[in-house]
């Protein structure tokens, strides 16, 4: 009796979702590591007063790190199928663009900035939104089973 293993072939959109998910997961983990996160002792659960910064640049909180971890897990899970990977990149990118607009519209020193976000976060969210949407649209065209999107 022989055992057959079926290799899983992932299309480009699935590979991109897996990569983006892995990066989010890594960023979420790094946000909890003192040294990589500066002013670690001043990290709040969710407040604009959280003084912690990932790599000394991006303002973070426990909530911010948890969101990154959830985005990462979602990306890895949704990379299983081309349609789910496409949705992850497209919808996730749209959410990041909304978060970019939110960050620009809300004062960084107000209670509404509970995530928290700083200027570096705002512009990173813009880049992530464009990148994720671009990957979804570009790579789904080359993925079999997407109906020529």
């Amino acid at each position: 009796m022989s055992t057959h293993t079926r290799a899983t072939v992932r299309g480009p959109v699935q590979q991109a979702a897996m990569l983006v998910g892995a990066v989010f997961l890594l960023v979420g983990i790094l946000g909890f590591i003192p040294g990589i996160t500066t002013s670690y002792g001043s990290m709040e659960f969710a407040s604009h007063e959280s003084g912690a910064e990932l790599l000394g640049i991006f303002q973070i909180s426990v909530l911010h790190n948890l969101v990154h971890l959830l985005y990462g897990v979602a990306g890895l899970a949704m990379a299983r199928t081309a349609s789910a990977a496409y949705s992850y990149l497209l919808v996730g990118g749209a959410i990041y663009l909304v978060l970019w607009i939110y960050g620009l519209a809300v004062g960084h020193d107000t209670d509404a900035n509970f995530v928290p976000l700083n200027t570096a976060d705002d512009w990173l969210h813009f880049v992530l939104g464009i990148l994720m949407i671009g990957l979804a649209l570009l790579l789904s065209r080359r993925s079999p089973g997407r109906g020529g999107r």
Side-chain angles (χ1 to χ4, degrees), residues 3-122:
T3 304
H4 296 279
T5 57
R6 194 172 91 185
T8 302
V9 178
R10 297 194 191 278
V13 72
Q14 290 170 275
Q15 291 173 358
M18 188 177 297
L19 177 63
V20 170
V23 169
F24 275 116
L25 197 57
L26 178 62
V27 167
I29 292 168
L30 292 176
F32 288 113
I33 299 176
I36 295 174
T37 296
T38 59
S39 302
Y40 186 83
S42 66
M43 186 183 309
E44 299 282 332
F45 178 78
S47 168
H48 68 278
E49 294 175 358
S50 182
E53 292 183 333
L54 182 62
L55 304 174
I57 301 169
F58 305 103
Q59 188 177 12
I60 58 170
S61 64
V62 172
L63 177 62
H64 206 147
N65 290 335
L66 292 175
V67 169
H68 289 146
L69 290 171
L70 289 173
Y71 247 79
V73 169
L76 295 176
M78 294 179 80
R80 291 181 182 167
T81 67
S83 62
Y86 173 82
S87 295
Y88 170 75
L89 292 170
L90 189 68
V91 173
I95 290 169
Y96 266 97
L97 289 178
V98 168
L99 193 56
W100 168 63
I101 292 168
Y102 179 80
L104 294 177
V106 172
H108 291 155
D109 292 329
T110 67
D111 288 339
N113 184 21
F114 65 93
V115 174
L117 306 170
N118 63 12
T119 302
D121 288 307
D122 294 339

